[in-house]
Amino acid sequence: MGATSEQQYGFYNDTKHGWFWYENPPLEQEEQANTPLPPIKEPRIIPSLDSYSIDELWNMYPDDFQELLNVLQKKAVQTPSEQSILEYLTMQDIARRKALAYTNATMYVTQKYGELFNVNHVYPTAGPGVTARVSMQNDEIVQTINRAGNDHALIFFVSPGCGFCEKQAGILSYFVDKYGWQIKTVDISRNINSAARFNITITPTLLLIKKGQNNYMPVASGVIAMTELERKLYRAIRLLQGNTREDTFLMYDFQKGSAFDPTSILNKGEQPWKSSD
């Protein structure tokens, strides 16, 4: 009976283990169970041009072609044998020929559909054409500024001790002699409200205003030459008059409807890439 009691007592003591008895498992077993297995590195597959025909390489999608080209380049660097270098240079030659074919086809399409893609008729690059283009631009600028003189004016913001303002004032005197515009000079140190209204922090600054409108357009900050002043003022005038927008800001009137008119293609309603057959 005593032996039986001792056996039972030992049995119950041995079974008092585990989570039910608030006992954590051994730490070493837990670490071993959570240790990740090392990744299995698969063998690298090095391609060969023997698996491709010239037609397949020529018609391969550009991303796939570039990927194959890069792999063959690394293969040639890793193993600079005659075969590996020949394969890489072959890919380079195909890429060069494909680029040449693209260039030729592009020149053909732009010449055939010159009314869509050729800008020479509004922006020629040949000597006589450049002279004519510059003359047309200057005429349009001068006419626009002259017509706007009656209902537009410039505000010239200056500050004490501003040497750049003096230089700009000299340029503006030539402008007034040429166009007869009204220019109002504002000292931002004495007219703080005016400077704050137009957010002027730099002098000299030129601002274009239009009679009867609250809108205005900055023309220039800092010293600006006469020719650049005329160009920027021309664009600002057309914007305040509603004759241009942000996406056609640099365009001249004689370029409307041409390839230099960004949105003119939207008004034609055509799909030139579709066959007319």
Side-chain angles (χ1 to χ4, degrees), residues 33-266:
N34 294 332
T35 302
L37 296 175
I40 300 176
K41 188 175 182 180
E42 298 182 358
R44 188 184 301 276
I45 300 176
I46 305 297
S48 171
L49 287 190
D50 292 340
S51 304
Y52 303 91
S53 66
I54 291 294
D55 287 340
E56 289 175 333
L57 294 173
W58 182 263
N59 295 304
M60 186 176 289
Y61 189 72
D63 289 352
D64 298 334
F65 185 92
Q66 184 66 54
E67 182 179 355
L68 179 60
L69 176 66
N70 292 338
V71 172
L72 291 178
Q73 181 187 37
K74 295 175 182 178
K75 175 183 176 182
V77 172
Q78 180 184 15
T79 308
S81 64
E82 178 181 349
Q83 180 64 26
S84 60
I85 293 177
L86 180 60
E87 289 184 352
Y88 172 64
L89 292 181
T90 299
M91 290 289 291
Q92 285 277 45
D93 183 61
I94 294 175
R96 178 190 63 81
R97 293 171 184 269
K98 203 64 183 286
L100 182 61
Y102 173 82
T103 301
N104 287 324
T106 300
M107 295 302 295
Y108 160 75
V109 172
T110 54
Q111 182 170 332
K112 182 177 181 179
Y113 301 94
E115 72 281 1
L116 292 175
F117 309 115
N118 196 332
V119 298
N120 280 336
H121 63 291
V122 289
Y123 200 90
T125 55
V130 171
T131 302
R133 171 175 57 82
V134 172
S135 178
M136 293 172 66
Q137 291 174 348
N138 289 337
D139 290 344
E140 190 171 315
I141 289 173
V142 171
Q143 292 174 10
T144 300
I145 295 176
N146 275 327
R147 288 195 299 264
N150 294 328
D151 55 357
H152 293 73
L154 284 172
I155 303 178
F156 180 38
F157 291 94
V158 299
S159 60
C162 174
F164 296 125
C165 298
E166 296 178 4
K167 297 298 182 182
Q168 187 65 67
I171 296 171
L172 290 177
S173 65
Y174 291 112
F175 177 82
V176 173
D177 291 341
K178 182 176 181 179
Y179 294 103
W181 267 49
Q182 178 184 358
I183 299 179
K184 182 179 180 180
T185 301
V186 176
D187 186 339
I188 64 172
S189 65
R190 298 180 179 179
N191 298 272
I192 300 176
N193 292 335
S194 296
R197 175 187 174 188
F198 296 107
N199 195 27
I200 303 299
T201 58
I202 299 174
T203 58
T205 292
L206 282 170
L207 202 72
L208 174 68
I209 59 174
K210 188 176 187 296
K211 294 180 181 179
Q213 285 190 6
N214 293 325
N215 295 333
Y216 60 90
M217 181 66 182
V219 177
S221 295
V223 180
I224 186 172
M226 180 70 171
T227 53
E228 186 66 13
L229 169 61
E230 290 174 321
R231 280 195 295 266
K232 289 193 171 186
L233 183 59
Y234 160 79
R235 295 165 186 160
I237 291 170
R238 296 181 72 242
L239 185 67
L240 292 186
Q241 291 178 343
N243 295 326
T244 188
R245 304 183 306 272
E246 295 88 343
D247 55 359
T248 57
F249 189 64
L250 299 179
M251 188 180 67
Y252 291 88
D253 278 339
F254 70 87
Q255 295 172 334
K256 286 183 178 179
S258 70
F260 257 69
D261 185 347
T263 59
S264 63
I265 193 173
L266 302 177

Side-chain angles (χ1 to χ4, degrees), residues 12-26 29:
Y12 285 114
N13 281 340
D14 290 339
T15 58
K16 293 179 180 180
H17 297 288
W19 293 108
F20 184 79
W21 299 97
Y22 304 100
E23 181 182 68
N24 292 328
Q29 295 180 3

